Amino acid sequence: MDSAQGDNDLTPLKNLFNEWMVRDTSRKIKAVFRSKGMSGKSITSQLVYGYLKGEDGRFIIDEEAAPVVKQIFSLCLAGNGPTKIARMLTEQEIPTPGTLEYRRTGSTRRYYPDYPYRWATNTVVHILERKEYLGHTVNFKTEKISYKVKSSVENPEEKQVVFEDTHEPIIDLATWERVQELRKQRKRPNRYDEVGLFSGLLFCADCGSVLYQQRYENKTRRQYCYICGSYKKRVKDCTAHFIRTDLLTAGVTANLRKVTDYAARHERQFMKLLIEQNEDGGKRRNAAKRKEPDTAEKRIAELSAIFKRLYEDSVTGRISDERFAELSADYEAEQRQLKDRAAELQAQL
């Protein structure tokens, strides 16, 4: 459109058709990725650190990076936090994932020439949380809200699809689960390289922030305590909630004595309480598992509706027979995968 020639009444109409074309192309590309992802193939564009892609597209172990992954998990099991692990890897001058990628492919996307060996805490955290090291393929971790937005958002776990035992694992299941438990506790050494007895277990009753261990020292005495993290970092309007470690230890010890004394005198009743508690935990875990089959069933219903629309478009001539055969094959494959997955989950429940 040449604006120098004056207004053109067709401009809004052409813009509308252009918008439809872009939206339709985006929808088709998403459908192709969805079909590939539901077939069990990895759809990530970025290699997982510790693996290479073979000729068939499957992950194979990277002999150079896999030992580093094992070292990171071993250091975490030994009680080291991500920041300390990153510092140790930096001191050993182990190339970062970005540096390794640059040396192999020439990509400068994650390469920093001035810091080829400086590991970031987030990199270590990301490695410790990846299920791919168990030999699983995890698809649909992120998605784009709209074709108009280039940035991606993280998907919750119920929207992700996991295909187990698709390649050789680097980390065994027991090690991975133990690391996840340790990560949940969030025990970190303080500036004196000490880990508090109650670190990661205490939370502020007002703002919910974790309580941090502090040490106050003067000429006559040394005193440990826990203080509200929000107050310490000044990120929320909260108070110190100062509590001395020795008083807390005494209170917890007294409570433990009451519990063990009760268990010794009323063993059957104590066992009954434990069994009830375990049953409650099992119910919560099963409730979380039931969400995934519901999501699969919802998608199966959506695909059935898509089939109907495709058939109508084919009959009316809006799409060609070749296009109908191609799309229906993709959707049928996805629906078949979802039905198998739903049946598997139902059997587990």
Side-chain angles (χ1 to χ4, degrees):
M1 298 297 177
D2 186 359
S3 58
Q5 301 297 326
D7 294 335
N8 192 314
D9 294 336
L10 290 178
T11 301
L13 189 60
K14 284 195 173 185
N15 285 338
L16 180 61
F17 275 97
N18 289 337
E19 189 78 6
W20 282 348
M21 185 185 70
V22 175
R23 185 178 61 183
D24 188 52
T25 303
S26 173
R27 189 184 295 114
K28 290 176 181 177
I29 292 174
K30 281 186 176 181
V32 172
F33 269 95
R34 184 79 191 177
S35 177
K36 182 180 178 182
M38 293 305 298
S39 69
K41 296 179 181 179
S42 175
I43 57 175
T44 179
S45 59
Q46 182 177 321
L47 278 176
V48 178
Y49 181 74
Y51 285 104
L52 299 171
K53 271 197 176 181
E55 294 180 357
D56 58 352
R58 297 182 63 179
F59 287 162
I60 57 175
I61 290 181
D62 183 355
E63 299 298 335
E64 183 179 357
V68 181
V69 174
K70 292 180 180 178
Q71 181 183 357
I72 290 172
F73 275 82
S74 297
L75 290 171
C76 185
L77 284 177
N80 300 292
T83 302
K84 190 172 182 180
I85 293 174
R87 187 167 63 248
M88 295 167 74
L89 296 176
T90 302
E91 292 171 354
Q92 296 175 29
E93 294 191 349
I94 296 175
T96 65
T99 301
L100 196 61
E101 183 183 18
Y102 168 75
R103 291 177 179 177
R104 291 175 174 175
T105 65
S107 172
T108 58
R109 178 179 51 174
R110 299 181 296 159
Y111 176 59
Y112 300 95
D114 297 333
Y115 310 104
Y117 308 110
R118 181 176 291 180
W119 284 72
T121 301
N122 288 340
T123 303
V124 176
V125 170
H126 191 58
I127 289 174
L128 290 172
E129 293 177 349
R130 298 207 75 150
K131 293 181 180 178
E132 285 85 350
Y133 297 124
L134 292 171
H136 305 338
T137 296
V138 185
N139 288 333
F140 311 117
K141 283 187 173 181
T142 61
E143 69 174 351
K144 291 186 178 179
I145 301 175
S146 168
Y147 63 91
K148 298 180 180 180
V149 181
K150 290 186 176 182
S151 59
S152 301
V153 295
E154 294 285 339
N155 267 337
E157 286 196 5
E158 55 267 20
K159 282 191 175 183
Q160 299 176 18
V161 181
V162 180
F163 298 90
E164 298 183 352
D165 303 324
T166 56
H167 52 268
E168 186 178 352
I170 296 178
I171 304 298
D172 61 89
L173 180 61
T175 300
W176 193 87
E177 288 181 344
R178 179 60 183 152
V179 165
Q180 304 316 306
E181 288 297 323
L182 291 173
R183 292 281 300 132
K184 288 178 183 177
Q185 294 175 12
R186 302 287 181 182
K187 288 191 175 183
R188 300 290 180 270
N190 56 23
R191 60 178 177 173
Y192 308 108
D193 205 24
E194 301 170 347
V195 179
L197 179 63
F198 302 103
S199 293
L201 301 175
L202 305 178
F203 299 89
C204 176
D206 290 340
C207 68
S209 175
V210 69
L211 300 187
Y212 286 94
Q213 187 188 47
Q214 291 276 69
R215 187 172 87 180
Y216 295 97
E217 192 172 5
N218 54 32
K219 294 181 180 179
T220 59
R221 65 171 182 167
R222 177 188 295 176
Q223 179 175 285
Y224 291 89
C225 69
Y226 286 87
I227 191 171
C228 174
S230 295
Y231 172 81
K232 180 182 178 182
K233 296 179 179 179
R234 301 295 193 273
V235 295
K236 292 182 181 178
D237 186 16
C238 199
T239 57
H241 297 311
F242 179 98
I243 180 169
R244 283 167 43 187
T245 303
D246 55 348
L247 296 178
L248 182 61
T249 304
V252 172
T253 304
N255 182 265
L256 283 174
R257 286 184 179 137
K258 289 181 181 178
V259 172
T260 52
D261 180 61
Y262 179 85
R265 290 186 293 106
H266 308 284
E267 184 176 351
R268 289 186 179 180
Q269 183 64 21
F270 185 71
M271 289 300 296
K272 183 180 178 181
L273 291 172
L274 285 180
I275 291 172
E276 290 176 355
Q277 188 177 28
N278 287 335
E279 287 177 350
D280 289 341
K283 289 178 181 177
R284 287 193 295 270
R285 287 189 294 270
N286 285 339
K289 281 186 177 181
R290 286 192 183 93
K291 290 182 180 179
E292 193 174 347
D294 291 343
T295 304
E297 292 294 341
K298 183 179 178 181
R299 178 60 181 170
I300 290 171
E302 289 176 357
L303 289 172
S304 297
I306 291 173
F307 280 133
K308 292 179 182 178
R309 289 198 296 270
L310 277 177
Y311 181 74
E312 291 174 359
D313 290 345
S314 177
V315 170
T316 57
R318 283 197 288 265
I319 62 173
S320 64
D321 293 340
E322 292 81 5
R323 185 62 178 162
F324 171 75
E326 179 185 351
L327 289 174
S328 61
D330 291 340
Y331 287 129
E332 281 177 359
E334 180 182 352
Q335 193 175 55
R336 190 162 51 249
Q337 289 279 348
L338 284 169
K339 287 181 178 178
D340 293 342
R341 179 62 179 163
E344 180 185 345
L345 291 169
Q346 195 62 39
Q348 291 178 5
L349 288 171

